[in-house]
Amino acid sequence: MSTAARRGHPPPHENGVGGHADDEPDEDGEEEEEEEGEGEVEDDEEEEPRLKYQRLGGSVPAIVSTDAAAAIAVADRMVALGTHNGTLHILDFQGNQVKEIAAHTATINDISFDADGEYIGSCSDDGTVVISSLFTDEKLKFEYHRPMKAIALDPNYYNNYRRFATGGLAGQVLVLTKKSWGGGYHKKVLRDGEGPIHSMKWRTDLLAWANDAGVKVHDMKTDKGIAFIERPKGIPRPEFLLPQLVWQDDTILVIGWGTSVKIAAIRTDSSQGLNGIQRSITASNEKYVDIVGSFQTGYHISGIAPFGDLLVVLAYIPEEEDRENSFSNSVPSRQGTAQRPEIHLVSWKNDELTTDALPIHGYEHYKAKDYALAHAPFSGSSNAGGQWAAGDEPLYYIVSPKDIVVAKPRDAEDHISWLLQHGWHEKALAAVEAGQGRTELLDEVGSRYLDHLIIERKYAEAARLCPKLLRGSPSAWERWVFHFAHLRQLAVLVPYIPTENPQLSDTAYEVALVALTTNPSFHELLLTTVKKWPPTLYSASPVISAIEPQLNSSSMTDSLKEALAELYVINSQYDKALSLYAELLKPEVFEFIEKHNLHDAIHDKVVNLMILDSKRTVNLLIQHRDTIPPNEVVGQLLHASKSCDKRHLLHLYLHALFETDMNAGKDYHDMQVELYAEYEPRMLIPFLRTSQHYRLDKAYEIFAQKELVREQVFVLGRMGNAKEALSTIINKLEDIQEAVEFVMEQHDDELWEELIRQCLQKPEMVGMLLEHTVGNLDPLYIVSLVPDGLEIPRLRDRLVKIVTDYRTETSLRHGCNDILKADCVNLLVKYYHEARRGVYMASMDEEVTGTRVAEGSSRANERSSSLRALEIKSRTRCGARCCLCFDPLSIQDISVIVFYCCHAYHTSCLEGGLDLMKSNSSTQDSDEDDEGTPSGESRMRCVLCTTAAA
């Protein structure tokens, strides 16, 4: 409903109020709007309004239809409206009446709440002041017989002895306080004789009032005046244009009087004003007032209120005749031709941000004093720039006799609507994305914005915004998918197409994928999309049919091949997918082979797999050598056309095959000899020792070409040419130790003679031979063959070492023999004693009860559990019969004792021979006690063996 006027342009004089169709038309206003509209076309950008307006409904229309509004006050929870008939209406913020107080009989001039909103005071032209409790029946009435124009309740009214201040035409500023005893009120006159009191506001301990002389600020805590601010010169008399006082916070007082605005700061020390004005007017040593802002307006001020760090001013526009006489004290002569009131949003330096004209009913007949402005308290701290949190915005009530309009800051939805009206879709979308406004606004913003971007051919930007704008509507998504396909721009939309919430039709997804196959620049996106999208969303066959004709064309790319492989997997065509993976050298091909058991399908892919990962490929080929035979692998590697070291790959495979199965690749051992010689010579000797499937002559030629001496020696030895091999070791390797080892392996005495003969040709070799043949040849024999006069280096030291080593070896042999003999004797003695003990085998009943035959058989009883399972017949002499009574041993309930001499007895039979055994044992040495048997324990002995021994 509001129209913003930019700085430097004439302010608008008409502003519609939303929700009311009965606004009165104004031809002059319409003409001004048309002129303004023409001016706006010339401007590059229109400034957004700061406030929005609506008429207060509820009970208000009914109230003003029979009465006229005169005063208003706003608390945290309610609005108080005073009328010309003296009635006080308590309203909620929607205008619904919650309480009615018949307070006065004439016009209510001023209303005041306490800080808690529990008490309300009002004053009237009937000379009365009424203070009422809003939640109880408490009501106080004071009569002064002169019209009362202003009232202010102490913010802490209830706790400060029901204190309030009031004033009127009598010119006295009265402060009334309830007596603490005796009842009644104590009255105190703060000021008198300076003319009628026109306005009064109380904040914390500071009371400000305006009379004909000016504005005074009084400290109620110290009961001292703080400041006096003179009335502006040349303004109409107060009875025609009332002064407006409002506390912005606890220390800032805003004064609007006539055409003058002053901002006064209550300070405790000297400082510079915010606008550079240094002006102090003090009447107290503790506090003083600093005018931090002051400016003149071109209109009359009917109300003023803070708006963050700005000011909201209710402006009354005087007529031309009134403008010429604006500095006189006369009353405007013309009636019924007044202009619309306006709301101006200005800074403390009078920088005008917006101007809104208000379509107040009957404004033509009203004067400046007929309007009032009140604002709802708010808890915002700085509110810089007019930004408030949700629920913390200030409300402004513009009151005229027959109308009340509520102004409040425009919210996010108002901002978005205004941006859309002016075609700024991007800004509107940014506001919606920031969480401003209702979610439903996104549909409207999105629809307009996408159409705009398509027209501008900004396809990528439009696609990027689709998830935010189309959200969960499948039909909207499909419509835009086909629209982008029609425009051949589907590639930019594919990354944003949803796969769930919502899920589109399979046709939409197939159209998108097929569109990506047509251009090589889209193939990477196609691959990413195929991997990302669940395969259940679409059928892979149409996309495969679109790609396969391109396989042998120049437009085929690796990305398209991989995408085709992925589609083959979706279609369960794993063998075709494997061919493409192997061709692309994809590392995951090995897991793919194992997962889908495709070992039969890798016959023709050995080279590609070896190039990709030779180690894993070799393991795979070895594990499945029955399926993929070695001749097939070797054939592919030998005829590989790709640029790779095929011989090295062949070596890796044959080496692994030989370690796993020596005979599996026996046909290629000749080739393997050559490969070992080229890539891994250290493995030749183990291979030559193990394998029997290579040609010795060919191997010798290879070793001779590559100068592999030890391998030549081995081959010569294998060929039977031991002498030449020995000569090669001595002459080329000059390693006597290896020569000795070689001769030892050959087990040929003639070869020892050859070794000695060849070493005698080199004196140094003779010394080395003497060192390494200890234990194999007699050193004296070697020394005897040395020609006289042959100088052998370090011969003396070497002979000493030979003798020392010989003595050491002899000593070690003697010691080992002694140890061996002692061990044999000890073991035989131990065996003898163990064999003389019996093994007790209890009967079934004794096993259950856990009894023992005798204390002396405890050690035998411990071993019986492991021997009880033996067949007595096969382990004893006498045919499994007792050697005393010759009855069978397996008589039920009779225990048996078996000796290591294989004689067995019934326990009862053996007990009869104990005396004889004891008498015999007395003649034996006491060495048995040394075996660990307690001396008091009975010793069980075989009767037959003991008797024989005796």
Side-chain angles (χ1 to χ4, degrees):
M1 81 177 253
S2 65
T3 304
R6 293 168 301 282
R7 301 175 190 171
H9 286 223
H13 294 290
E14 181 158 14
N15 196 352
V17 180
H20 292 268
D22 56 347
D23 294 347
E24 299 179 7
D26 184 85
E27 295 180 358
D28 296 337
E30 293 174 358
E31 291 177 359
E32 293 174 1
E33 283 184 346
E34 291 176 0
E35 293 174 1
E36 181 188 6
E38 293 175 0
E40 289 175 356
V41 173
E42 298 174 358
D43 292 334
D44 293 335
E45 184 175 346
E46 181 181 348
E47 186 173 351
E48 183 179 359
R50 297 290 189 94
L51 298 172
K52 63 179 179 179
Y53 306 85
Q54 67 179 22
R55 282 191 172 86
L56 187 62
S59 305
V60 173
I63 294 173
V64 298
S65 65
T66 58
D67 202 348
I72 191 170
V74 185
D76 288 337
R77 293 174 289 178
M78 65 197 74
V79 178
L81 178 66
T83 67
H84 282 284
N85 287 341
T87 304
L88 198 58
H89 300 275
I90 307 301
L91 313 172
D92 61 17
F93 288 114
Q94 284 73 41
N96 302 307
Q97 179 172 293
V98 296
K99 189 172 184 179
E100 180 178 331
I101 302 174
H104 307 277
T105 59
T107 301
I108 296 176
N109 294 315
D110 197 9
I111 306 172
S112 176
F113 285 100
D114 68 338
D116 296 329
E118 296 181 356
Y119 290 89
I120 184 171
S122 59
C123 60
S124 171
D125 281 344
D126 63 3
T128 61
V129 173
V130 176
I131 300 176
S132 305
S133 172
L134 295 172
F135 303 103
T136 66
D137 295 333
E138 181 182 353
K139 185 177 181 182
L140 300 174
K141 186 173 184 180
F142 303 86
E143 296 189 6
Y144 296 100
H145 309 293
R146 294 286 301 276
M148 303 304 290
K149 298 295 184 180
I151 184 173
L153 298 186
D154 186 325
N156 198 13
Y157 170 79
Y158 182 79
N159 294 325
N160 280 348
Y161 302 99
R162 314 293 177 90
R163 183 169 61 169
F164 69 94
T166 186
L169 294 184
Q172 294 180 333
V173 178
L174 302 175
V175 177
L176 282 82
T177 307
K178 186 177 182 180
K179 295 179 181 179
S180 59
W181 53 271
Y185 273 76
H186 173 72
K187 180 173 70 173
K188 179 180 180 180
V189 179
L190 289 184
R191 289 289 176 179
D192 192 7
E194 295 179 352
I197 307 302
H198 304 289
S199 181
M200 185 178 291
K201 299 295 179 183
W202 197 328
R203 182 73 174 246
T204 61
D205 295 325
L206 301 176
L207 176 64
W209 69 84
N211 54 28
D212 286 348
V215 177
K216 292 192 174 183
V217 182
H218 192 86
D219 189 340
M220 300 300 294
K221 185 175 183 180
T222 62
D223 197 21
K224 293 181 180 180
I226 294 178
F228 169 68
I229 303 171
E230 292 183 350
R231 167 189 168 186
K233 296 180 180 179
I235 62 173
R237 295 192 304 273
E239 56 266 27
F240 298 110
L241 192 57
L242 296 175
Q244 306 294 327
L245 304 179
V246 62
W247 287 99
Q248 177 164 320
D249 55 34
D250 293 346
T251 60
I252 301 294
L253 176 65
V254 181
I255 305 168
W257 201 339
T259 60
S260 172
V261 175
K262 293 183 179 179
I263 298 100
I266 312 301
R267 304 191 186 280
T268 56
D269 55 3
S270 180
S271 61
Q272 188 74 11
L274 296 181
N275 62 344
I277 300 175
Q278 180 67 38
R279 179 178 181 184
S280 298
I281 308 172
T282 71
S284 169
N285 293 329
E286 297 181 358
K287 295 180 180 179
Y288 67 94
V289 170
D290 184 14
I291 303 300
V292 296
S294 178
F295 58 87
Q296 295 291 324
T297 67
Y299 43 81
H300 292 166
I301 299 173
S302 294
I304 194 167
F307 186 82
D309 53 359
L310 305 174
L311 296 174
V312 173
V313 182
L314 175 59
Y316 177 82
I317 310 300
E319 301 177 31
E320 293 299 327
E321 182 178 341
D322 296 334
R323 290 179 187 272
E324 295 173 359
N325 300 326
S326 60
F327 296 100
S328 67
N329 292 331
S330 60
V331 183
S333 57
R334 297 177 60 190
Q335 298 296 329
T337 58
Q339 300 185 39
R340 297 179 184 273
E342 296 177 351
I343 288 293
H344 291 246
L345 191 61
V346 298
S347 69
W348 286 11
K349 295 183 179 181
N350 200 26
D351 294 328
E352 211 165 273
L353 276 71
T354 61
T355 299
D356 299 331
L358 305 176
I360 300 297
H361 290 317
Y363 68 90
E364 302 92 343
H365 306 287
Y366 299 147
K367 295 177 289 186
K369 65 178 297 183
D370 293 326
Y371 296 104
L373 173 65
H375 76 288
F378 55 95
S379 58
S381 55
S382 62
N383 304 313
Q387 299 296 322
W388 289 271
D392 203 26
E393 306 91 345
L395 298 177
Y396 300 91
Y397 293 83
I398 300 100
V399 179
S400 67
K402 293 293 183 180
D403 208 357
I404 299 179
V405 174
V406 182
K408 60 181 178 181
R410 293 170 62 87
D411 57 20
E413 293 188 8
D414 299 317
H415 173 63
I416 294 170
S417 298
W418 186 83
L419 292 174
L420 288 176
Q421 291 173 4
H422 291 78
W424 293 329
H425 303 91
E426 186 173 358
K427 294 181 179 179
L429 179 61
V432 175
E433 290 177 352
Q436 304 175 12
R438 293 173 291 106
T439 309
E440 292 77 8
L441 283 175
L442 186 60
D443 296 331
E444 180 182 356
V445 174
S447 178
R448 293 190 187 184
Y449 195 22
L450 286 179
D451 289 336
H452 168 73
L453 293 175
I454 293 299
I455 293 174
E456 296 291 328
R457 296 187 177 182
K458 297 179 179 179
Y459 304 113
E461 186 175 356
R464 178 177 57 83
L465 295 174
C466 279
K468 299 175 183 177
L469 303 180
L470 304 181
R471 297 181 294 169
S473 174
S475 58
W477 270 107
E478 291 179 9
R479 180 171 62 87
W480 281 102
V481 166
F482 294 127
H483 188 47
F484 271 81
H486 176 72
L487 297 172
R488 299 181 182 275
Q489 297 295 329
L490 196 52
V492 298
L493 182 62
V494 167
Y496 306 101
I497 296 177
T499 57
E500 59 180 3
N501 298 325
Q503 179 176 328
L504 312 184
S505 65
D506 54 353
T507 304
Y509 295 113
E510 292 165 9
V511 167
L513 293 176
V514 170
L516 297 179
T517 66
T518 58
N519 192 320
S521 61
F522 301 156
H523 291 171
E524 186 66 31
L525 176 59
L526 173 64
L527 174 60
T528 304
T529 306
V530 170
K531 290 182 176 181
K532 178 181 177 182
W533 282 358
T536 56
L537 295 178
Y538 57 91
S539 172
S541 299
V543 190
I544 293 174
S545 300
I547 298 177
E548 285 180 338
Q550 305 181 48
L551 278 175
N552 298 321
S553 65
S554 58
S555 62
M556 195 64 182
T557 62
D558 288 346
S559 296
L560 189 59
K561 287 181 181 179
E562 187 173 354
L564 180 59
E566 295 288 341
L567 292 169
Y568 280 143
V569 173
I570 294 172
N571 235 21
S572 300
Q573 296 175 275
Y574 302 119
D575 51 345
K576 292 185 177 180
L578 175 61
S579 299
L580 293 173
Y581 283 142
E583 184 178 351
L584 294 170
L585 303 179
K586 304 299 292 184
E588 59 270 17
V589 68
F590 297 98
E591 289 79 5
F592 185 78
I593 292 171
E594 296 296 335
K595 180 179 179 181
H596 299 289
N597 194 21
L598 298 174
H599 307 100
D600 292 337
I602 65 175
H603 288 272
D604 56 344
K605 304 171 183 63
V606 172
V607 176
N608 288 334
L609 294 178
M610 290 290 286
I611 293 174
L612 176 60
D613 190 333
S614 58
K615 183 177 180 180
R616 298 181 68 178
T617 304
V618 167
N619 292 335
L620 181 66
L621 295 173
I622 297 300
Q623 291 175 7
H624 299 88
R625 57 186 179 276
D626 295 335
T627 304
I628 311 166
N631 60 341
E632 189 173 322
V633 176
V634 173
Q636 288 191 50
L637 290 175
L638 287 175
H639 299 90
S641 58
K642 292 191 174 182
S643 57
C644 62
D645 190 353
K646 56 185 179 181
R647 287 179 59 80
H648 181 252
L649 297 178
L650 188 60
H651 161 67
L652 295 177
Y653 171 71
L654 291 176
H655 171 66
L657 182 63
F658 179 76
E659 288 188 335
T660 305
D661 185 351
M662 292 184 295
N663 296 318
K666 61 183 180 180
D667 295 339
Y668 306 102
H669 283 193
D670 285 331
M671 181 189 301
Q672 200 164 355
V673 170
E674 184 177 356
L675 294 173
Y676 274 130
E678 183 176 354
Y679 294 104
E680 209 168 359
R682 63 184 182 84
M683 297 299 297
L684 273 171
I685 296 298
F687 175 77
L688 295 175
R689 292 181 186 275
T690 308
S691 176
Q692 302 294 330
H693 304 288
Y694 59 90
R695 291 172 54 190
L696 296 176
D697 56 343
K698 184 176 181 181
Y700 183 78
E701 291 178 4
I702 295 173
F703 300 152
Q705 291 175 1
K706 295 187 175 291
E707 299 181 354
L708 299 175
V709 179
R710 285 182 172 83
E711 287 75 10
Q712 294 180 48
V713 171
F714 182 85
V715 172
L716 289 172
R718 179 68 69 84
M719 295 171 68
N721 197 349
K723 291 185 178 181
E724 185 178 352
L726 181 61
S727 176
T728 302
I729 295 174
I730 295 174
N731 296 324
K732 293 185 178 180
L733 294 179
E734 297 182 351
D735 190 342
I736 292 298
Q737 182 176 356
E738 186 169 346
V740 171
E741 292 176 356
F742 176 77
V743 174
M744 290 174 59
E745 291 176 357
Q746 301 301 317
H747 304 289
D748 187 353
D749 294 338
E750 293 183 1
L751 203 58
W752 285 108
E753 297 293 337
E754 179 66 20
L755 174 62
I756 296 172
R757 186 184 65 77
Q758 293 196 26
C759 288
L760 291 176
Q761 299 176 6
K762 298 180 180 180
E764 179 63 28
M765 288 289 183
V766 174
M768 295 173 63
L769 181 63
L770 290 172
E771 290 180 359
H772 292 90
T773 57
V774 176
N776 297 302
L777 288 177
D778 185 0
L780 295 178
Y781 175 71
I782 299 175
V783 171
S784 64
L785 296 178
V786 176
D788 295 338
L790 180 64
E791 185 177 351
I792 300 174
R794 298 170 49 238
L795 177 61
R796 179 178 177 277
D797 294 339
R798 285 169 173 167
L799 291 176
V800 170
K801 182 176 182 298
I802 290 171
V803 173
T804 303
D805 291 345
Y806 180 78
R807 289 177 178 176
T808 302
E809 182 181 355
T810 303
S811 176
L812 289 174
R813 286 181 178 178
H814 289 164
C816 290
N817 288 333
D818 293 340
I819 293 172
L820 182 61
K821 291 176 182 179
D823 288 344
C824 290
V825 170
N826 291 334
L827 290 173
L828 285 173
V829 170
K830 184 176 181 181
Y831 174 74
Y832 170 73
H833 289 298
E834 289 292 334
R836 295 179 65 187
R837 289 187 174 88
V839 177
Y840 175 72
M841 305 182 70
S843 64
M844 297 298 294
D845 293 340
E846 289 177 344
E847 289 182 3
V848 173
T849 59
T851 59
R852 300 178 180 176
V853 174
E855 294 180 358
S857 61
S858 59
R859 182 175 298 179
N861 190 35
E862 292 175 359
R863 302 173 183 174
S864 62
S865 59
S866 61
L867 301 175
R868 199 170 291 119
L870 298 176
E871 287 291 339
I872 296 177
K873 185 175 181 179
S874 61
R875 294 292 183 181
T876 62
R877 300 175 182 177
C878 302
R881 295 178 179 271
C882 176
C883 292
L884 291 178
C885 69
F886 299 103
D887 289 333
L889 294 175
S890 57
I891 300 176
Q892 187 176 4
D893 298 333
I894 296 180
S895 300
V896 176
I897 293 179
V898 180
F899 293 93
Y900 279 88
C901 58
C902 297
H903 292 130
Y905 304 91
H906 293 128
T907 304
S908 59
C909 296
L910 188 61
E911 288 176 351
L914 289 178
D915 295 336
L916 177 61
M917 294 175 64
K918 288 180 180 179
S919 62
N920 292 335
S921 64
S922 61
T923 63
Q924 297 186 14
D925 298 331
S926 60
D927 58 338
E928 295 181 7
D929 293 335
D930 298 335
E931 298 298 324
T933 303
S935 59
E937 182 181 348
S938 298
R939 299 176 179 85
M940 303 297 291
R941 295 290 183 263
C942 176
V943 175
L944 295 180
C945 294
T946 303
T947 304

